[in-house]
Amino acid sequence: MQTVDVLVIGAGFAGLRALYRFRGLGYKVKVLEASEDVGGVWYHNGYPGARCDVESYDYSYSFSPELEQEWRWSERYATQPEILRYINHVAERFDLRRDIQFNTRMTNATYDEASARWVIETEGGETFDTQFFMMCVGQLSTPKSPNYPGLSDYKGEVIHSGKWPKHEVTYEGKRVAIIGTGSSGMQMTPVIAKYAKHLTVFQRTPNYSIPAANAPVTDEEDAQVKAHYRERRDRAWNSATGLGFMPNKTSALDVTPEEREKAYEAAWNRLGFGFALTYYDILLNKQANDTAADFIRRKIASVVNDPVVREKLLPRNHAFAARRPSVDSGYFQAFNRDNVELADLLESPIVEFTHEGIRTSAKNHVFDMIIFATGFDVFTGSLFKPNIIGRGGITLKQKWSDGPVTHLGVGVSDFPNMFIVVGPGSPSLLSNVMVSTEEQIDWMAAFVEHMKANKQAVFEVQHDAEKEWGHHINERVKETLYLSTDSYYNGAEVKGKPRVFMPYSGGVRGYRRILHKCAAEGYTGFSFAANAAWLEKV
Ligand code: N01
């Protein structure tokens, strides 16, 4: 059995950051990673066209000014290989690999009440004993593939976007299917379209998307960002989304249609996700939202030639950004190619897979390769994979049977000394997740330092605090349009999943203030103890 102070699960952006921070404070840290290398989702999502839809300079670590200065991003939105190179660079530069154990999947984590420590077991039969236990497993890391009748009969290649093979995948001369039109499907479509003999995109829900307006980063731009990096970070930390866009105080309904058109046009051509912040109430008021949605529909319509395909691609059944919109590079234009076909699943659902392809209610499709871009079991998928057993033998799955409950998205009652990073209850997927990751980990490190200074060995979330935070999450989301549609924010992506809104919609800046207030007031909502004996009394 190995004994450590902090055991971290996952060697993606969050796990590496946790290792760096806690090791720097003198704690003995170990990271367990199921895969053979660092990178988390960026290791697995190697599909063609994969790139970040947050600008490179903002989707990067802020903890080291030297790292900021020496790393040179080549494009405004970095591709997956470039992000993976960055993660590897960080791992090397800060000598992180020596504390990461690869090819090691955690299967069980059990809180031992007598010692007030966690016992972690792995698939390979190893055991670790740790005081603190951190889940850094991401939110989009358990791929979800529909289980169609006949799937196992299909003789061609089947690939999931979130578990892209490491061998080279070629499309030349092939008939390819993509199922799903979320960010992954939309990113890969124009790239695969260029090479495949024929590409069929199966769409269930038309999705909003904003052009990436990607471009190479010039030396001048790079120097400009690097000369003012702190100010840029400050803007990100103090913005609602962590993307650095400052709140616009104007309502979309308080300007003339001409002014609005001009503002949307400017944002469309330059801002990526910032488009959603053209007016402060786009995500708060349906009428305001309609103005943005209508603008996007007109933009989509203007680039698709075929009137029937055009109509099918227009998102109409949900408010813009109430589900995660995409940032694309030529998705809609790809349907103007002769070799690209849109298959509308609402009109003609999939009946079954056959040995040579897919049969819908309309026709038989023959494919050499089928790609599932069907998303993930979001937020809880990877938290439920291992068996996490807290106080009194309760499992995390049991505890969250009606949906996740947390205090501040940091910890869970009955699971002492366990941290969850950018999981449910935190801004997470509603923010630039890099900002939220660093914010939480630094806060957790200060929290543990506080415990050490006060000679406390155990923390636990108070039940009332957890209830209050859940109430606050629900109150904040009611101010928005997020509840107006089904989405993975509210558990609709997996049949039978509890339908609760999981991330915190109060914004990065607001969340940050709440975390800091909690710390300033002596970590309200948490109980502390010097040893395990107190647990009997709680
Ligand atoms: O997954 P999704 P994703 N039959 O869940 C469809 C991040 N990301 O991998 O909407 C047919 O968004 C489903 O249809 P519907 C980003 O946060 C970031 O694309 O359920 N179709 C939908 O169209 C993103 O939001 C980047 O009706 C089925 C699609 O599959 C998140 O990851 C890049 C189906 C799934 O869309 C997930 O994106 C890529 C079925 N049975 C991803 N089941 C960056 O740029 C599902 N679908 C950083």
Side-chain angles (χ1 to χ4, degrees):
M1 164 132 47
Q2 290 187 47
T3 301
V4 295
D5 300 318
V6 184
L7 193 111
V8 177
I9 307 299
F13 269 118
L16 296 189
R17 182 63 164 83
L19 168 56
Y20 173 81
R21 185 75 179 119
F22 280 88
R23 190 167 78 183
L25 290 169
Y27 296 96
K28 190 171 176 194
V29 189
K30 184 91 183 175
V31 179
L32 304 185
E33 167 57 55
S35 302
E36 53 273 20
D37 212 341
V38 294
V41 289
W42 292 107
Y43 180 75
H44 293 290
N45 284 259
Y47 59 82
R51 63 170 77 236
C52 189
D53 45 20
V54 172
E55 287 193 45
S56 313
Y57 289 98
D58 301 311
Y59 195 82
S60 58
Y61 289 124
S62 67
F63 67 82
S64 161
E66 297 77 23
L67 173 66
E68 285 178 343
Q69 291 299 320
E70 73 199 19
W71 184 262
R72 173 69 163 86
W73 291 107
S74 69
E75 289 180 85
R76 186 173 175 222
Y77 294 100
T79 60
Q80 175 266 347
E82 186 168 12
I83 295 171
L84 200 53
R85 279 199 297 281
Y86 172 78
I87 298 174
N88 274 280
H89 171 75
V90 171
E92 298 304 326
R93 193 190 189 288
F94 298 98
D95 191 20
L96 299 178
R97 285 179 194 278
R98 70 180 151 92
D99 288 317
I100 307 173
Q101 189 170 316
F102 295 104
N103 299 304
T104 305
R105 181 175 292 282
M106 173 185 82
T107 49
N108 292 292
T110 311
Y111 183 67
D112 177 53
E113 305 202 19
S115 63
R117 292 177 69 86
W118 283 90
V119 177
I120 310 294
E121 293 165 274
T122 72
E123 208 167 51
E126 282 177 281
T127 309
F128 296 84
D129 166 82
T130 183
Q131 186 179 357
F132 296 100
F133 161 45
M134 293 185 86
M135 287 296 275
C136 294
V137 291
Q139 324 76 16
L140 299 157
S141 43
T142 297
K144 177 174 69 86
S145 300
N147 191 16
Y148 292 110
L151 185 55
S152 58
D153 298 337
Y154 176 60
K155 298 282 182 270
E157 198 171 359
V158 179
I159 307 178
H160 193 291
S161 62
K163 223 173 182 307
W164 201 258
K166 293 292 161 193
H167 63 78
E168 199 195 344
V169 180
T170 58
Y171 314 96
E172 281 82 359
K174 291 185 183 164
R175 294 156 297 183
V176 180
I178 297 173
I179 303 178
T181 54
S183 299
S184 305
M186 282 184 152
Q187 283 187 337
M188 68 175 76
T189 291
V191 184
I192 296 178
K194 267 194 237 161
Y195 302 103
K197 183 172 159 200
H198 189 82
L199 173 65
T200 307
V201 178
F202 288 86
Q203 169 191 274
R204 190 163 66 182
T205 306
N207 197 2
Y208 293 94
S209 186
I210 300 154
N214 189 33
V217 175
T218 64
D219 286 343
E220 249 180 327
E221 284 165 338
D222 182 62
Q224 177 69 15
V225 173
K226 286 175 177 170
H228 303 282
Y229 224 143
R230 284 303 92 194
E231 289 103 296
R232 188 175 176 115
R233 297 295 194 189
D234 266 338
R235 279 199 302 276
W237 293 328
N238 290 300
S239 65
T241 53
L243 297 168
F245 299 109
M246 286 304 139
N248 182 335
K249 301 250 162 53
T250 315
S251 161
L253 305 174
D254 283 348
V255 292
T256 63
E258 294 73 25
E259 275 177 79
R260 206 162 48 216
E261 192 74 5
K262 220 166 136 194
Y264 282 147
E265 189 67 41
W268 185 257
N269 292 321
R270 176 63 196 144
L271 289 183
F273 272 142
F275 178 86
L277 304 171
T278 313
Y279 297 104
Y280 82 87
D281 52 355
I282 289 178
L283 244 170
L284 307 180
N285 175 312
K286 179 67 171 62
Q287 246 185 306
N289 193 284
D290 286 344
T291 66
D294 177 62
F295 178 88
I296 299 174
R297 281 191 291 267
R298 282 187 282 118
K299 281 291 184 191
I300 296 171
S302 73
V303 298
V304 181
N305 299 341
D306 184 301
V308 178
V309 175
R310 185 192 306 152
E311 189 52 35
K312 286 179 178 169
L313 285 168
L314 298 181
R316 293 193 191 277
N317 74 348
H318 64 281
F320 164 61
R323 318 166 112 224
R324 171 70 148 68
S326 261
V327 173
D328 73 286
S329 305
Y331 171 72
F332 296 104
Q333 292 85 340
F335 291 95
N336 296 333
R337 298 176 66 103
D338 290 340
N339 67 332
V340 179
E341 173 189 1
L342 181 71
D344 183 349
L345 290 176
L346 294 181
E347 199 174 85
S348 314
I350 292 175
V351 176
E352 60 175 359
F353 275 46
T354 64
H355 72 282
E356 57 176 14
I358 293 175
R359 188 165 73 82
T360 66
S361 60
K363 75 179 206 191
N364 239 334
H365 297 260
V366 179
F367 296 120
D368 302 298
M369 177 189 294
I370 296 176
I371 299 170
F372 283 122
T374 43
F376 302 86
D377 181 351
V378 185
F379 286 112
T380 49
S382 294
L383 290 169
F384 287 162
K385 253 193 228 162
N387 198 23
I388 301 178
I389 306 168
R391 214 136 60 76
I394 188 167
T395 65
L396 189 63
K397 220 171 171 173
Q398 287 166 338
K399 174 86 188 179
W400 286 2
S401 56
D402 294 330
V405 283
T406 70
H407 180 40
L408 307 179
V410 165
V412 185
S413 69
D414 297 323
F415 294 80
N417 286 7
M418 179 179 91
F419 292 113
I420 297 176
V421 177
V422 285
S426 75
S428 189
L429 294 179
L430 296 181
S431 67
N432 172 359
V433 79
M434 283 295 280
V435 169
S436 296
T437 298
E438 292 202 284
E439 176 79 51
Q440 273 198 324
I441 288 170
D442 286 341
W443 188 90
M444 289 166 186
F447 178 87
V448 168
E449 285 289 276
H450 167 87
M451 287 177 64
K452 193 164 117 190
N454 289 282
K455 302 199 175 354
Q456 304 293 349
V458 186
F459 81 80
E460 185 164 1
V461 163
Q462 294 167 354
H463 287 93
D464 285 352
E466 204 168 56
K467 266 194 210 136
E468 228 172 89
W469 185 242
H471 179 71
H472 180 63
I473 289 174
N474 289 331
E475 288 304 303
R476 291 309 305 260
V477 74
K478 280 185 205 154
E479 299 163 8
T480 73
L481 297 173
Y482 286 120
L483 298 180
S484 65
T485 184
D486 284 349
S487 73
Y488 64 58
Y489 298 138
N490 50 42
E493 85 286 11
V494 174
K495 209 170 163 208
K497 204 165 161 170
R499 298 296 287 271
V500 297
F501 187 77
M502 284 177 278
Y504 176 60
S505 64
V508 164
R509 182 187 37 204
Y511 179 70
R512 188 168 194 228
R513 285 198 191 128
I514 291 169
L515 282 185
H516 288 213
K517 181 167 181 282
C518 168
E521 291 174 355
Y523 294 101
T524 46
F526 295 92
S527 309
F528 298 96
N531 58 50
W534 72 290
L535 295 170
E536 305 299 327
K537 302 180 204 137
V538 182

